[in-house]
């Protein structure tokens, strides 16, 4: 194992960096999930009235899916500038964009006030949310991954991942409190706006903390080395997407495949379950929200545990366990929801989220360790967000359509099982990345990389990928530890 090129930061400094990433991701996921919960509960009435309840829900989930469509574009744009200007600057921009869009949703007129303009405005703001979130995830996890040392990277990098259940917890908790305190008519009339408007306060707190941290030392070192090496040479600028697909296309495919089961299972267990429990099983909105609320608290707690286990046993074993778990749990999950028993409903959602955490926790370090520093923001974001487009975006839509067509849960459970199998294949062919020194990933010269691309790379591109740690070669579908630049994970 190679010696780290940069000393790990002091514990206090690292904790501040983790806090900055966690606060930011919590705010962004709060905003994103708040929309999903509102789409399942009230948006069908407010923005798509006059439809069959399930059809109205489908339409509201369609605007929900639009946010996912914008995430790959956000990944490309934020990745491009994040690999050139640094992680911190882009994270501030993403937080401001997300907060402004969410606050604006709380001020939107409904269909009753402005007719068809209302869903158009809603869709536009959802696009802004998705664009911002597409750039947020990669920068947040990289800021922590590139500050910490390799031995505990899985643990520390898993903390920004807890922003997802923390955001879900906040969004669901606020909605649950409002539905409990307000009559249904008041909640539909104005109560649903309160959680969106509260986003302004959360963004202010997140921005204050995020501005207090330093840029990633690994990125600063890579930028300085690239500028020194290329001083006086003609620069040929290349889009990060081109560089990533040239040197890391197998890793992008692995990242996309790895996220299928993680993404689909999460949105089925947390968003679609609100529809299934209320429309099919006859449970109240409050009951379904409370179950997701309790399970999200457990999800938050287990993610750092899974992250620590990935440091001890490796990213792949923990990830594979989670993928297999959600596949096995798919049929029991719906069977427990169908009992209409609150305790069993909590068990159904909680177990599903525990298995999801086994995939989500090591994902941050796993993806960061695949890519070279000067294309890491682009590579990790593109792999993650393009998968969201084909997995998370249509998951509630597909699940709702299957329920409408078949009237039961078996096809939906089968859908989750298929996703789990695909993820098992993708992670199964990957190579272990634990303990890799991020400063040395992709630091090899052209001869080691096995390509002549070094002379072509512009200052905005990462250097061609090198061998890194030969005992822990990066993932690749070809199964080779090294070889041509396009056939290596790092």
């Amino acid at each position: 194992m190679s010696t780290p090129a940069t000393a790990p930061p002091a514990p206090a400094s690292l904790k501040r960096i983790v806090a900055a990433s966690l606060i930011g991701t919590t705010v962004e996921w709060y905003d994103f999930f708040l929309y999903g919960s509102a789409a399942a509960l009230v948006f069908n009435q407010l923005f798509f009235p006059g439809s069959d309840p399930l059809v109205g829900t489908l339409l509201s989930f369609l605007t929900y899916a639009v946010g996912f469509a914008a995430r790959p574009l956000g990944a490309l744009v934020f990745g491009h500038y994040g690999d050139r200007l640094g992680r911190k600057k882009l994270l501030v921009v993403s937080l401001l964009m997300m907060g402004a869009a969410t606050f604006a949703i709380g001020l939107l007129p409904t269909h009753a006030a402005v007719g068809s303009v209302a869903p158009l405005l809603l869709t536009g703001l959802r696009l802004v949310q998705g664009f911002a979130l597409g750039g947020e995830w990669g920068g947040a996890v990289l800021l922590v991954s590139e500050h910490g040392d390799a031995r505990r990277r899985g643990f520390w990098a898993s903390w920004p991942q807890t922003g997802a259940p923390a955001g879900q917890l906040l969004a669901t908790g606020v909605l649950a409190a409002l539905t409990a305190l307000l009559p249904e008519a008041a909640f539909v009339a104005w109560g649903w706006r309160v959680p969106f408007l509260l986003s302004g306060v959360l963004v202010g707190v997140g921005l204050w903390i995020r501005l207090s941290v330093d840029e990633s030392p690994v990125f600063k070192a890579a930028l300085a080395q690239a500028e020194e090496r290329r001083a006086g040479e003609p620069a040929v600028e290349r889009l990060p997407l081109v560089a990533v697909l040239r040197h890391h296309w197998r890793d992008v495919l692995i990242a996309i495949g790895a996220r299928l089961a993680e993404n689909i299972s999460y949105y089925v267990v947390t968003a679609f379950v609100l529809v299934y429990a209320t429309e099919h099983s006859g449970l109240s909105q409050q009951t379904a929200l409370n179950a997701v609320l309790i399970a999200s608290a457990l999800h938050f707690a287990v993610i750092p545990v899974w992250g620590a286990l990935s440091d001890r046993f490796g990213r792949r074993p923990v990830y594979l366990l989670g993928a297999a778990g959600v596949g096995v749990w798919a049929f029991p999950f719906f069977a427990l929801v169908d009992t209409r028993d609150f305790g069993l409903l909590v068990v159904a959602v909680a177990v599903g989220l525990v298995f999801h955490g086994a995939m989500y926790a090591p994902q941050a370090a796993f993806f960061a360790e695949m890519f070279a520093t000067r294309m890491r923001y682009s590579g990790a974001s593109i792999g993650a967000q393009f998968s969201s487009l084909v997995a998370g975006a249509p998951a509630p839509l597909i699940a709702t359509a299957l329920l409408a067509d078949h009237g039961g849960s078996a096809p939906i459970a089968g859908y989750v099982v298929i996703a789990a199998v695909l993820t098992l294949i993708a992670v199964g062919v990957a190579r272990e990345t634990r303990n890799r020194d991020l400063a040395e990933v992709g630091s090899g010269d052209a001869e080691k990389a096995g390509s002549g691309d070094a002379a072509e790379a512009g200052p905005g591109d990462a250097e061609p990928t090198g061998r890194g740690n030969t005992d822990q070669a990066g993932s690749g579908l070809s199964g080779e530890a090294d070889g041509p630049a396009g056939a290596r994970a790092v």
Side-chain angles (χ1 to χ4, degrees):
M1 182 173 65
S2 56
T3 302
T6 57
S13 175
L14 182 56
K15 289 177 181 178
R16 186 173 66 252
I17 293 160
V18 170
S21 293
L22 173 57
I23 291 294
T25 53
T26 298
V27 173
E28 298 235 16
W29 283 115
Y30 167 82
D31 293 348
F32 204 75
F33 289 143
L34 181 61
Y35 189 104
S37 297
L41 297 175
V42 297
F43 280 178
N44 58 340
Q45 304 173 51
L46 296 171
F47 294 93
F48 307 98
S51 302
D52 174 86
L54 276 180
V55 174
T57 301
L58 275 171
L59 292 173
S60 62
F61 272 145
L62 185 59
T63 61
Y64 176 71
V66 163
F68 286 86
R71 283 166 69 171
L73 180 60
L76 290 173
V77 174
F78 280 84
H80 177 95
Y81 289 103
D83 281 332
R84 284 155 174 73
L85 305 177
R87 289 48 167 133
K88 176 182 172 179
K89 294 182 179 69
L90 275 296
L91 287 174
V92 170
V93 174
S94 70
L95 184 62
L96 289 173
M97 287 184 67
M98 176 68 87
T102 304
F103 189 84
I105 290 175
L107 301 174
L108 275 183
T110 64
H111 189 280
V114 296
S116 59
V117 175
L120 291 177
L121 292 173
L122 181 66
T123 302
L125 292 173
R126 183 59 175 172
L127 283 169
V128 176
Q129 279 191 323
F131 182 83
L133 189 61
E136 162 72 19
W137 181 84
V141 299
L142 293 188
L143 195 64
V144 176
S145 296
E146 292 178 344
H147 270 92
D149 65 286
R151 292 173 299 175
R152 302 194 69 195
R153 184 180 298 128
F155 171 73
W156 289 115
S158 70
W159 278 101
Q161 300 290 73
T162 64
Q168 178 77 65
L169 192 63
L170 279 175
T172 307
V174 172
L175 283 173
L178 287 170
T179 55
L181 295 173
L182 296 176
E184 184 176 354
F187 179 77
V188 173
W190 59 268
W192 67 272
R193 297 181 184 275
V194 174
F196 290 93
L197 298 176
L198 283 176
S199 175
V201 177
L202 296 176
V203 167
V205 175
L207 187 62
W208 174 67
I209 296 177
R210 186 160 278 184
L211 286 171
S212 68
V213 302
D214 295 326
E215 181 55 79
S216 154
V218 173
F219 172 80
K220 290 192 290 187
L223 181 61
Q225 291 169 4
E227 290 175 348
E228 180 181 351
R229 182 173 61 253
R230 296 174 182 132
E233 296 180 4
V236 179
E237 193 75 16
R238 182 181 296 136
L239 289 174
L241 176 62
V242 176
V244 167
L245 295 182
R246 180 165 191 168
H247 301 296
H248 289 286
W249 63 270
R250 284 180 171 83
D251 301 301
V252 171
L253 291 179
I254 287 173
I256 290 173
R259 289 212 75 195
L260 291 177
E262 178 262 303
N263 233 214
I264 289 172
S265 66
Y266 188 81
Y267 291 107
V268 168
V269 168
T270 60
F272 173 72
V273 72
L274 298 177
V275 176
Y276 186 84
T278 55
E279 299 290 341
H280 181 75
S281 298
L283 295 169
S284 68
Q285 291 182 355
Q286 186 67 46
T287 299
L289 283 169
N290 287 343
V292 174
L293 186 67
I294 295 170
S296 293
L298 178 61
H299 193 211
F300 180 91
V302 300
I303 285 178
V305 176
W306 286 122
L309 289 173
S310 78
D311 285 328
R312 181 171 183 179
F313 299 106
R315 317 297 182 217
R316 291 174 67 251
V318 175
Y319 211 115
L320 290 170
L321 174 63
V326 296
V328 171
W329 189 246
F331 284 95
F333 170 81
F334 287 104
L336 291 176
V337 177
D338 286 337
T339 64
R340 304 182 74 250
D341 180 85
F342 176 70
L344 294 179
L345 175 61
V346 171
V347 170
V349 179
V351 173
L353 289 180
V354 167
F355 283 128
H356 172 269
M359 294 181 284
Y360 200 55
Q363 189 179 99
F366 189 31
F367 288 8
E369 290 159 348
M370 289 181 179
F371 298 95
T373 301
R374 295 302 311 283
M375 64 178 81
R376 184 170 292 134
Y377 201 142
S378 298
S381 297
I382 289 169
Q385 303 309 331
F386 272 78
S387 182
S388 294
L389 181 62
V390 299
L397 283 168
I398 291 173
T400 303
L402 290 172
L403 179 61
D405 289 344
H406 299 278
S409 62
I412 307 168
Y415 169 51
V416 175
V417 169
I418 292 171
V421 171
L422 293 175
T423 291
L424 286 169
I425 294 172
V427 179
V429 300
R431 289 184 180 271
E432 183 57 61
T433 61
R434 178 172 59 105
N435 291 333
R436 186 175 295 277
D437 180 4
L438 294 184
E440 295 188 359
V441 177
S443 62
D445 54 24
E447 181 180 358
K448 288 182 179 180
S451 71
D453 299 329
E456 301 178 19
D461 293 329
E463 57 275 16
T465 56
R467 292 181 183 273
N469 299 340
T470 56
D471 60 333
Q472 291 176 351
S475 57
L477 294 177
S478 64
E480 299 176 25
D482 291 297
R488 287 191 313 279
V490 292

